[in-house]
Amino acid sequence: MMCSLWRGTLLTLTSSLNRRVFQCCRQLGRSYNIASCMPEAVAFQGVSDHSGLYKFSVNESDRFWGAVARQRLSWISPFHTVQNCDFSQGKIKWFEGGKLNVSVNCLDRHVQTCPERVALIWERDEPGTEVKITYRQLLELTCRLGNLLKRQGVRRGDCVTIYMPPCPLAMASMLACARIGAAHNVVFAGFSSEALADRIRDAQSSTVITVNQGVRGGKVVDLKRTVDQAVQNCPTVQQVLVAMRTENTVPMTDRDVPLEEEMMKEDVVCEPVAMDSEDVLFLLYTSGSTGKPKGLVHTQAGYLLYTSLTHRYVFNYHDGDVFGCVADIGWITGHSYIVYGPLCNGGTTVLFESTPVYPNPGRYWEMVERLGINQFYGAPTAIRLLLKYGDEWVQNYNRSSLKTLGSVGEPINTEAWEWYHRVVGDGRCPVVDTWWQTETGGICIAPRPADPEAEIVPGMAMHPFYGIKPALLDTEGEVLSSNDSTGALCISQAWPGMARTIHNHHQRFTETYFHPYPGFFFTGDGAHRSKEGYYQIIGRLDDVINVSGHRLGTAELEDVVNQCPGVAESAAIGYSHDIKGEGVYVFVVLKKAVMVEEDVLAQQLREMVSRSIAKYACPDFIQVVRCLPKTRSGKIMRRVLRKVVERNTDELGDLSTLDDPDSVHEVIRGHRRLR
Ligand code: 6R9
């Protein structure tokens, strides 16, 4: 299960780790009252500070989550059981008996108290053209869309696929599904038509919502055309609702419905459906270590509660703050920290349509100044990119509104962390490196800026969140109970935000997450727990590559490469990349008698990958080899290939199980020096 890859990574990470420790908050020494921070804590006897609260949350999990759920969510009917979970069967149920509507929690209850508060700021591609939408307006959009979906035949339990860039109608579409009891399946609008078609088919959607065109980094992207190509191979699709992001008309067929025109005919009131806590809220596809992306299922109450609680405490979000998460809504980060967490808390959330370098590398910070952003949440890959452009692009803008800086998606190296803290945050904002996954629903390990006593070590994810009980396990499956240990990162008890199953594949769910270490949820990542008990995430232990924070299964890539007519087999691996974190390197074995220039083949394979998956998945390097290093039982020895690519050929390790030792020397000889 554990490979040597992460041992090496750990060494690199820890050796460069600056042991300087930062205090989360400047109030150290001042006495504080935990109940003023978390009102529910009044009822938790003996709890007087955040570490006491953490202990209570894991030891008295039912009492903790029961109180938090009653306090923070609006219920149509109360739940009778806090949790009913059994990892051995992959059974996870929270708040059974309870009924609620997620859109009511995100919209109606705020409309009652502050209808004119800005719910979202749509930061459009061109700077200075942002659009603000109040809670009242967002509720209206959501209701009209909900009514339109119903008119188009969408019913409770159906699944609607959304293929849109970040825009208010995308958000309203998600909330409209929640309002009428349909599940949504948001597909990142950078995915190709084939990837989109796979996800529509697997989700059995009859309705797709899209835009005519997207606009990003000054370029127009024909999204409707991608949908047209995708739905040709999706027999379930009966209608495509098309919103107009640009003024350009696109070909429309009988199946297509002009979204704005039709929704304006609908009423602004749409009765919310009372949903059971465990009804499906959405599917979200993510890569795993096998070829087919899995549709993780999240349900209503537990997910909403967990995203809102983490949003409040991990970022120290307060009423009136402007929360700027620059992820795309097509990823779990966008779902949890652009849409559900902030809206459930009645917050003002930013929806970012552009790129970090458009029209120049000062974009993020110019936006922070113009919108008065208080919490900024982004990815290390963008920080590393911006760092290279120099400090001036940051210092040109006033960032005094910033209070917390967040990082997500991949490990943040010390240099990037320090720059983020020192330059972007002027050394006064805590940087929260947040570890979590599509599967976990929300942040699981992160510093605690709301705690005046907590410290932060650069490059470390630090503490488990309330209710999260991490465990490190060794290759034998033994729990490593002492500090200063490294192992497979598992979580030993259920929390409300975790995924419930893989759509239509419950067995794959239990096999992937609960079988590797019985009694534990296995995350697929490795981690180190320091002497002080702080967590540092090392990276994936399985065959998943993390390119710019996007997960990519090596098997998924190899499936595409192997479809190339001249290719007999291939092995894709990740290698360390300056900006992207990891890049893709593919070794290819050609079929007998096939002769092709490496450059021509590389071009062809890149086009195939971009067509079948997405541009970010394209290999940076392709190397043709006579054969791949394999064990006698036929398994590709990826660890050897990784060492070759990392130029660590002195550390190839035990090669005695290799079928053909010459294969390794050949791979080494042909290895392209990475630029
Ligand atoms: C939220 C998200 C999950 C995988 C995860 C891990 C990596 C995420 C990280 C991190 C180190 C962090 N990851 N956050 N690694 N430090 N702070 O990214 O979800 O797209 O499902 O990816 O990303 O490897 O297992 P998702």
Side-chain angles (χ1 to χ4, degrees):
M1 176 68 62
M2 266 178 264
C3 60
S4 54
L5 161 77
W6 56 277
R7 289 187 202 286
T9 322
L10 173 69
L11 283 178
T12 335
L13 276 173
T14 43
S15 62
S16 64
L17 194 73
N18 184 332
R19 304 304 303 187
R20 255 187 329 140
V21 171
F22 294 85
Q23 217 65 46
C24 277
C25 223
R26 290 178 188 279
Q27 304 164 1
L28 190 67
R30 209 186 289 171
S31 68
Y32 73 102
N33 175 356
I34 188 72
S36 67
C37 184
M38 187 186 268
E40 320 54 341
V42 179
F44 306 151
Q45 274 124 23
V47 171
S48 59
D49 59 9
H50 284 263
S51 31
L53 188 56
Y54 170 72
K55 283 187 200 117
F56 185 88
S57 73
V58 289
N59 296 337
E60 300 273 350
S61 166
D62 267 25
R63 280 179 63 200
F64 176 81
W65 288 115
V68 176
R70 278 185 284 270
Q71 166 92 21
R72 290 178 190 255
L73 299 183
S74 296
W75 295 89
I76 297 168
S77 359
F79 51 90
H80 52 65
T81 308
V82 175
Q83 59 183 307
N84 175 11
C85 306
D86 176 358
F87 278 2
S88 69
Q89 299 167 43
K91 180 173 85 174
I92 299 125
K93 291 177 192 287
W94 284 85
F95 310 119
E96 281 174 305
K99 287 189 191 295
L100 80 174
N101 185 281
V102 166
S103 79
V104 168
N105 277 273
C106 290
L107 301 171
D108 306 49
R109 59 177 178 160
H110 310 310
V111 171
Q112 271 168 21
T113 55
C114 46
E116 300 312 319
R117 179 183 291 178
V118 175
L120 77 92
I121 307 176
W122 182 26
E123 172 69 3
R124 300 200 304 169
D125 197 44
E126 273 325 306
T129 64
E130 73 272 12
V131 174
K132 293 185 175 163
I133 298 202
T134 63
Y135 272 95
R136 187 180 47 76
Q137 290 168 324
L138 188 57
L139 176 60
E140 272 184 31
L141 284 176
T142 301
C143 285
R144 286 184 196 273
L145 255 167
N147 287 331
L148 174 59
L149 288 173
K150 283 198 283 190
R151 164 148 63 92
Q152 296 298 129
V154 177
R155 297 283 167 262
R156 179 179 181 155
D158 290 351
C159 179
V160 173
T161 295
I162 299 174
Y163 186 74
M164 296 169 107
C167 61
L169 283 174
M171 201 156 175
S173 299
M174 294 164 79
L175 293 162
C177 288
R179 194 158 191 92
I180 65 168
H184 57 71
N185 165 33
V186 181
V187 178
F188 169 56
F191 274 122
S192 67
S193 63
E194 283 178 34
L196 171 62
D198 276 349
R199 287 156 176 77
I200 296 174
R201 276 194 301 265
D202 194 78
Q204 296 144 305
S205 285
S206 60
T207 304
V208 178
I209 312 182
T210 190
V211 293
N212 62 337
Q213 296 179 313
V215 185
R216 193 162 182 268
K219 295 196 191 85
V220 170
V221 196
D222 285 315
L223 294 181
K224 165 72 163 53
R225 191 159 70 198
T226 309
V227 174
D228 286 343
Q229 286 162 359
V231 298
Q232 276 173 11
N233 301 312
C234 299
T236 52
V237 174
Q238 282 160 14
Q239 63 236 332
V240 178
L241 312 191
V242 187
M244 295 294 281
R245 168 61 186 89
T246 67
E247 317 239 291
N248 305 327
T249 50
V250 291
M252 297 283 275
T253 66
D254 290 350
R255 196 178 40 211
D256 300 330
V257 179
L259 185 121
E260 288 93 340
E261 204 179 306
E262 290 303 317
M263 72 186 265
M264 289 326 280
K265 297 179 187 159
E266 294 294 339
D267 200 77
V268 293
V269 176
C270 172
E271 200 50 40
V273 174
M275 301 296 285
D276 292 331
S277 294
E278 284 300 335
D279 281 335
V280 177
L281 178 61
F282 65 86
L283 313 185
L284 189 59
Y285 285 81
T286 190
S287 298
S289 42
T290 64
K292 227 170 118 50
K294 42 200 179 190
L296 286 157
V297 173
H298 283 283
T299 56
Q300 315 268 326
Y303 171 82
L304 186 66
L305 180 68
Y306 196 71
T307 55
S308 76
L309 201 73
T310 45
H311 172 252
R312 163 71 184 86
Y313 291 101
V314 173
F315 299 100
N316 204 10
Y317 183 87
H318 284 91
D319 238 15
D321 285 347
V322 177
F323 189 78
C325 168
V326 288
D328 191 286
I329 45 155
W331 308 112
I332 190 70
T333 307
H335 282 55
S336 301
Y337 300 108
I338 297 176
V339 183
Y340 291 111
L343 293 184
C344 188
N345 290 338
T348 298
T349 184
V350 174
L351 203 50
F352 183 66
E353 187 183 42
S354 194
T355 83
V357 288
Y358 183 77
N360 59 50
R363 176 58 185 265
Y364 278 167
W365 324 120
E366 183 273 325
M367 171 178 79
V368 164
E369 175 179 322
R370 181 163 35 82
L371 306 184
I373 290 175
N374 302 111
Q375 289 86 10
F376 181 88
Y377 194 28
T381 185
I383 302 301
R384 286 192 293 265
L385 175 71
L386 297 178
L387 176 159
K388 292 200 189 301
Y389 285 96
D391 300 0
E392 233 172 66
W393 286 111
V394 186
Q395 285 156 350
N396 282 344
Y397 303 99
N398 180 343
R399 287 149 287 110
S400 56
S401 60
L402 287 173
K403 296 197 274 193
T404 313
L405 298 171
S407 167
V408 60
E410 42 173 331
I412 179 162
N413 50 311
T414 315
E415 189 193 6
W417 195 103
E418 294 273 357
W419 186 80
Y420 202 22
H421 182 259
R422 180 177 52 79
V423 181
V424 176
D426 277 330
R428 56 174 187 84
C429 305
V431 170
V432 291
D433 174 13
T434 63
W435 174 87
W436 59 295
Q437 318 177 291
T438 307
E439 291 84 341
T440 68
I443 295 163
C444 287
I445 306 185
R448 295 187 191 140
D451 176 359
E453 275 162 23
E455 50 185 30
I456 305 181
V457 182
M460 281 198 154
M462 303 299 292
H463 307 284
F465 188 70
Y466 305 123
I468 299 294
K469 205 171 167 192
L472 298 180
L473 279 86
D474 68 12
T475 27
E476 269 74 59
E478 294 299 322
V479 175
L480 300 162
S481 46
S482 54
N483 282 347
D484 198 12
S485 32
T486 303
L489 177 62
C490 296
I491 302 180
S492 58
Q493 61 189 40
W495 66 100
M498 68 192 296
R500 304 303 197 246
T501 188
I502 294 173
H503 180 60
N504 284 338
H505 294 283
H506 192 68
Q507 197 183 340
R508 187 174 170 197
F509 182 68
T510 48
E511 279 168 7
T512 311
Y513 302 108
F514 301 103
H515 284 184
Y517 298 97
F520 295 88
F521 168 84
F522 174 47
T523 66
D525 282 312
H528 175 70
R529 191 171 49 233
S530 73
K531 286 193 194 78
E532 301 81 12
Y534 302 151
Y535 286 85
Q536 178 177 26
I537 310 303
I538 295 159
R540 302 290 307 191
L541 301 179
D542 54 9
D543 291 323
V544 173
I545 307 177
N546 192 325
V547 182
S548 305
H550 304 327
R551 278 162 67 163
L552 188 62
T554 52
E556 208 178 319
L557 257 171
E558 289 160 12
D559 267 4
V560 177
V561 172
N562 295 348
Q563 280 166 29
C564 179
V567 171
E569 63 172 342
S570 61
I573 58 159
Y575 71 93
S576 162
H577 187 285
D578 253 13
I579 304 228
K580 297 195 278 191
E582 278 189 287
V584 179
Y585 195 113
V586 180
F587 293 90
V588 173
V589 178
L590 294 177
K591 285 184 183 148
K592 282 217 170 66
V594 170
M595 302 280 280
V596 56
E597 294 259 339
E598 229 169 52
D599 288 351
V600 174
L601 178 72
Q603 186 55 29
Q604 197 180 357
L605 292 179
R606 283 196 189 106
E607 273 163 26
M608 287 178 71
V609 171
S610 162
R611 203 169 53 236
S612 303
I613 309 177
K615 279 214 183 75
Y616 72 80
C618 283
D620 300 317
F621 295 97
I622 284 158
Q623 181 181 342
V624 176
V625 292
R626 187 181 46 87
C627 62
L628 294 166
K630 287 188 183 169
T631 60
R632 284 187 206 111
S633 59
K635 270 188 171 293
I636 298 171
M637 292 185 79
R638 291 170 194 284
R639 129 185 108 72
V640 172
L641 292 173
R642 275 194 208 102
K643 290 284 175 205
V644 172
V645 172
E646 287 163 5
R647 280 188 271 167
N648 277 336
T649 44
D650 298 344
E651 298 168 20
L652 291 179
D654 180 12
L655 298 180
S656 60
T657 53
L658 263 186
D659 188 31
D660 171 7
D662 272 356
S663 60
V664 177
H665 298 122
E666 196 208 333
V667 168
I668 296 172
R669 276 196 302 275
H671 166 54
R672 298 185 162 198
R673 294 189 83 78
L674 300 183
R675 284 181 291 264

